[in-house]
């Protein structure tokens, strides 16, 4: 490969100021959790879709592979270059415009580099809700959200990033531009290319813009906090919540006692309710299109039925929207409290909701058998069957040593249990390079073969984010 | 091709009684609207997924192409064989079992041949709603619904068949079985094969089973019927309905005066409200999870705001659930009334909702300019931007002659207008063979190339429903 020719061409396309090769590039080459640091041939920052297409054509011509990158907040190490120094990081951050809003069609068209939070606030200023919401929303981009099919806290009602997207603009591996930016809710004119690119983690092409769904802003977002005697009770409560709140149910998060004890220990000012007395707490969110009062009445009906059914031991309904937000904040603080406690092993698994109680019971037991004293931070989006089933070092243990010794074994125990319960080893974070070598152990070979065939069909020279999602070793 | 060897093998696989070659096979070889009649080498009726896979392997070995078929109620002539007499119709109708229901996970797993109505009633008997609903529900199958990504009347709230599906079991073009029957709401472990098969009309593989979402049964399904002064007023009313009813809004159908005049003429006992005085009427459905009374209060709030905003001229709210059902029945009777009036040209188009008023105004005018006296039956799912923009012969004209003379020209006028307004020439019916030669005129060549590449990757010998969706002439 003639690097200097390629670099010259890239400078011609995007301007020399936007081809970064020197200085500290770690913001682009190191992943967010600092699990991996690569070397880039260059970081290229195109200004628009045409420039993205030209960059892809140039890289294709020179045989350089491309790592598309949004906010670089991914959790599966899928958006940083490898260590070869031969890959081009293509940052979409400068494509950050809101191209159009169509209130009567309930859609907004944005470029890939638009920060999720900007999208949320733009929608809200116009009286609409863009419901995708997750911890990194202040720095992740909608292109990255779509590339990884991000989930988050509102999936129980609104679905993942995929379900919120109506149309895409994509630069193909050949450097062509596909304008599929439809604002249509029904379009049956051929194969679903949109959903093929969503969640493909930049391995088939580069998402440069998207048309996303909007919803009317709810009148009130109220929360309730309930102590439940068991995980099965939490599942039962979820069923009641679906019945009593209908589509108002926009969040259903479960947290175990140890997770909440860490919040209490490291963030005592948050005053976690009920955590000392009960093994599990649940945060329920009701987004009501009528009023805060109506939301409260709905919650009262739910909690009355739940107390009667024995699936709730104690509960409070937020007395104000401010208190509702405080309760949400407790849930959102678990990862930070965990980090304060020390290094840990993060999981992102899902199983059918009905199997969550058995999954947790069996996996807890298996891990405690293997590693005496291990501490389990179980929390997550029970409404979607998605747990962040995280593992913390035994009290007082050396975390680095623990990870080195046990990480692989712990992953195997958890993943095998997930497989037994017909679940997924990556619910919302994706495969990236983090789980790429594990995937063949847990995915149907028929599905894997089809994935490889599609990769070959759309990116025959494998220049798009090679080694991510699909192992190149097979 | 050695037909007798193949037929012998097929008989060995499914039993001689389920390989039909003689007698009247028109139920399998003629499409539902009687627009096409083909010849089958055989109609094969496997009993289970393993037999489907064996049939595919046998056909692949002998180079015979396969036409998968469910209830044969499709509107795009995609499920009947061509006239060559060399294609095997693979009927999924014997795979009709409900395999499992998982109430806590809100899912049901069914085989492809399960009749949609059976799925609805099975869910309802267990206290759940399966929301997919369309005219052919008494005879169409869930496999066909998924193969064509069926839409119907509840899309504004619940989405198309695609959005209701969590997992698939598929027999590939190689005769392998992919078990992707996950009940997971979050699973980011690779490319979205599920959505690639959904809507591919049997051209990539054969859907043999699916895990579908369930919802709690609403407490009441109430309807309102409103006369509106213009299509723009109908769009404005839709915006208000989203705000006032929230996710309760499960149906929003628009009907023009001529469509309703046909119902009044041919089915006078239905007593269509308001049709004489106003150019358009709208049917709004509110599925309320609280009570009929609450649904009514919600409707009153909506209609008050709409009257004040001037987007509703007159309105009634159904006085009972029975009357609600009667109002729905008027809307559903339009196709029958149209058939009584004589042959007509059916359209199934979508444009962004905000552009519907301009689309209708311009296209009406263009057609009336070209064909004096033409009568337009405009009705459809305004909530999804989907109109069945149908064209009826001028009063007293010879319908057969009219169709022969004008059908192509009318399609071109309508499709060109759809393209101008960034819409779709097939919103919910699919491409089949009916629109396969039109598609290249209206679809992005970049998208078409990707579709061809995917077809070649997954079905390299093109044995799966060739000539449907993708033209073999390209």
């Amino acid at each position: 490969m003639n690097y200097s020719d390629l670099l010259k061409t890239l400078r011609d396309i995007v301007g020399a100021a936007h081809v970064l090769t020197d200085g500290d590039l770690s913001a682009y080459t190191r992943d967010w959790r600092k699990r991996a640091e690569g070397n880039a041939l260059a970081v290229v920052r195109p200004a628009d879709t045409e420039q993205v297409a030209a960059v892809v054509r140039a890289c294709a011509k020179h045989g350089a592979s491309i790592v598309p990158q949004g906010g670089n907040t991914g959790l599966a190490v899928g958006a940083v270059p490898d260590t070869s120094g031969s890959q081009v990081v293509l940052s979409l951050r400068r494509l950050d415009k809101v191209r159009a809003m169509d209130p009567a069609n309930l859609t907004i068209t944005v470029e890939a580099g638009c920060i999720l939070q900007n999208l949320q606030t733009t929608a809200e200023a116009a009286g609409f809700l863009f419901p995708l919401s997750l911890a990194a929303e202040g720095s992740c981009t909608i292109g990255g959200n779509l590339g990884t099919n991000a989930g988050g806290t509102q999936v129980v009602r609104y679905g993942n990033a995929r379900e919120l997207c109506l149309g895409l603009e994509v630069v193909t591996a050949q450097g062509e531009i596909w304008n599929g930016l439809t604002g249509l809710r029904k379009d049956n004119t051929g194969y679903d290319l949109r959903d093929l690119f969503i969640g493909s983690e930049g391995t088939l092409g580069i998402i440069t813009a998207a048309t996303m769904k909007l919803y009317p802003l709810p009148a009130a977002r109220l929360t309730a906090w309930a102590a439940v005697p068991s995980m099965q009770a939490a599942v039962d409560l979820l069923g009641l919540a679906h019945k009593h709140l209908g589509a108002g149910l926009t969040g259903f998060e479960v947290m175990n006692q140890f997770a909440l004890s860490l919040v209490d220990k490291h963030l005592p000012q948050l005053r976690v309710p009920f955590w000392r007395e009960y093994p599990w707490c649940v945060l329920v969110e009701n987004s009501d299109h009528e009023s805060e009062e109506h939301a409260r009445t709905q919650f009262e009906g739910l909690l009355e039925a739940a107390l009667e059914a024995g699936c709730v031991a104690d509960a409070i309904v937020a007395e104000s929207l401010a208190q509702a937000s405080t309760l949400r904040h407790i849930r959102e603080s678990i990862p930070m409290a965990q980090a304060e406690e020390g290094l840990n092993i993060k999981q992102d698994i899902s199983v059918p909701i009905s199997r969550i109680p058995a999954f947790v019971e069996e996996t807890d037991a298996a891990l405690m058998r293997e590693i005496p004293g291990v501490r389990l931070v179980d929390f997550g989006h029970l409404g979607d069957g998605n747990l962040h089933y995280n593992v913390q070092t035994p009290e007082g243990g050396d975390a680095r040593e623990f990870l080195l010794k046990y990480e692989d074994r712990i992953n195997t125990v958890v993943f095998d249990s997930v497989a037994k319960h017909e679940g997924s080893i990556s619910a919302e974070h994706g495969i990236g390079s983090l789980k790429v070598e594990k995937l063949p152990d847990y995915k149907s070979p028929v599905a894997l073969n089809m994935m490889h065939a599609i990769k070959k069909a759309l990116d025959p020279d494998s220049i798009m984010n090679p080694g991510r999602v699909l192992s190149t070793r097979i």
Side-chain angles (χ1 to χ4, degrees), chain A:
Chain A
M1 188 175 358
N2 188 326
Y3 288 144
S4 64
D5 270 11
L6 173 57
L7 290 172
K8 184 183 174 311
T9 309
L10 294 175
R11 288 191 190 102
D12 288 346
I13 296 166
V14 302
H18 296 293
V19 179
L20 317 179
T21 52
D22 303 320
D24 180 10
L25 298 178
S26 64
Y28 300 96
T29 56
R30 187 165 64 195
D31 89 295
W32 190 68
R33 285 190 67 211
K34 303 182 186 171
R35 293 181 68 108
E37 178 145 16
N39 277 309
L41 173 63
V43 175
V44 182
R45 296 163 40 91
D48 56 33
T49 305
E50 284 69 28
Q51 289 190 5
V52 174
V55 167
V56 171
R57 287 194 301 269
C59 290
K61 190 179 156 195
H62 288 82
S65 62
I66 298 167
V67 181
Q69 190 181 84
N72 193 17
T73 61
L75 294 169
V77 195
V80 291
D82 62 25
T83 52
S84 69
S86 67
Q87 298 194 302
V88 171
V89 172
L90 195 160
S91 168
L92 278 301
R93 287 294 305 281
R94 289 177 70 212
L95 283 79
D96 62 356
K97 281 191 281 300
V98 174
R99 287 198 194 160
M101 191 179 311
D102 185 343
N105 197 45
L106 290 172
T107 49
I108 186 167
T109 300
V110 292
E111 294 182 343
C114 184
I115 301 287
L116 174 54
Q117 203 165 60
N118 295 349
L119 180 44
Q120 294 166 343
T121 53
T122 304
E124 193 166 338
F128 296 102
L129 172 75
F130 180 68
L132 188 68
S133 177
L134 44 92
E137 60 197 24
S139 42
C140 65
T141 63
I142 190 66
N145 298 149
L146 287 165
T148 58
N149 188 27
T153 60
Q154 304 276 296
V155 174
V156 65
R157 163 70 179 96
Y158 299 103
N160 301 288
R162 181 188 309 290
E163 283 82 26
L164 295 170
C165 181
L166 292 176
L168 291 180
E169 179 187 84
V170 169
V171 170
T172 68
Q174 290 73 41
E176 293 186 297
I177 299 170
W178 169 46
N179 181 348
L181 278 180
T182 159
L184 304 175
R185 281 171 169 75
K186 284 183 174 171
D187 178 16
N188 279 343
T189 56
Y191 303 159
D192 183 10
L193 301 171
R194 175 191 68 201
D195 289 315
L196 191 58
F197 284 105
I198 295 174
S200 68
E201 304 186 34
T203 64
L204 299 176
I206 301 173
I207 294 170
T208 51
T211 300
M212 307 297 296
K213 292 184 198 169
L214 298 174
Y215 289 83
L217 267 181
R221 266 179 82 189
L222 207 61
T223 55
W225 185 279
V228 297
S230 66
M231 184 59 105
Q232 182 59 52
V235 170
D236 295 342
L237 177 60
L238 173 63
L240 287 175
H242 276 296
K243 272 188 200 133
H244 282 260
L245 307 181
L249 180 66
T250 50
F252 196 98
E253 301 285 314
V254 71
M255 300 149 281
N256 77 349
Q257 193 167 32
F258 179 61
L260 292 175
S261 80
L262 291 182
V263 177
D264 183 73
K265 178 175 171 188
H266 298 287
L267 301 144
Q269 70 278 18
L270 291 183
R271 301 201 194 182
V272 181
F274 306 139
W275 75 269
R276 281 179 203 281
E277 296 86 5
Y278 300 100
W280 299 92
C281 285
V282 165
L283 178 76
V284 191
E285 185 182 87
N286 182 11
S287 294
D288 198 287
H289 70 274
E290 291 180 53
S291 64
E292 188 182 329
E293 192 195 337
H294 185 255
R296 199 176 306 280
T297 312
Q298 292 274 293
F299 261 142
E300 281 160 9
L302 165 63
L303 292 173
E304 200 173 303
L307 283 161
E308 195 167 310
C311 56
V312 159
D314 207 344
I316 49 171
V317 178
E319 280 171 20
S320 62
L321 298 182
Q323 199 193 350
S325 157
T326 304
L327 292 174
R328 272 197 302 271
H329 187 53
I330 296 173
R331 155 65 183 85
E332 285 157 13
S333 301
I334 294 174
M336 190 192 294
Q338 250 202 300
E340 288 289 321
E341 185 72 6
L343 283 178
N344 54 79
I345 298 165
K346 289 193 193 302
Q347 302 289 353
D348 166 42
I349 61 91
S350 62
V351 300
I353 295 164
S354 50
R355 303 182 75 161
I356 289 258
F359 167 81
V360 170
E361 192 184 330
E362 291 171 23
T363 319
D364 278 11
L367 286 173
M368 289 197 273
R369 243 188 340 259
E370 298 236 349
I371 310 157
V374 74
R375 299 179 300 170
L376 300 169
V377 182
D378 297 356
F379 69 103
H381 320 294
L382 183 61
D384 324 314
N386 175 202
L387 286 188
H388 298 300
Y389 184 89
N390 296 350
V391 180
Q392 201 95 27
T393 324
E395 185 95 47
D398 182 310
R400 241 165 243 288
E401 204 172 283
F402 178 80
L403 257 68
L404 216 59
K405 185 165 171 193
Y406 287 115
E407 181 161 16
D408 247 19
R409 183 68 200 131
I410 286 172
N411 284 340
T412 301
V413 168
V414 173
F415 293 174
D416 286 355
S417 185
V418 164
K420 182 191 159 193
H421 289 285
E422 304 185 73
S424 166
I425 63 166
S426 180
E428 56 177 9
H429 296 166
I431 298 298
S433 59
L434 193 67
K435 293 180 184 167
V436 69
E437 302 305 336
K438 280 275 180 198
L439 191 59
D441 295 338
Y442 296 98
K443 188 102 182 169
S444 135
V446 180
L448 276 175
N449 283 341
M450 287 194 278
M451 286 166 56
H452 278 284
I454 290 165
K455 170 75 174 174
K456 204 165 175 194
L458 298 187
D459 178 22
D461 299 324
S462 199
I463 65 161
M464 297 305 312
N465 218 3
R468 276 65 177 191
V469 183
L470 288 171
S471 173
T472 45
R473 281 195 238 157
I474 297 184

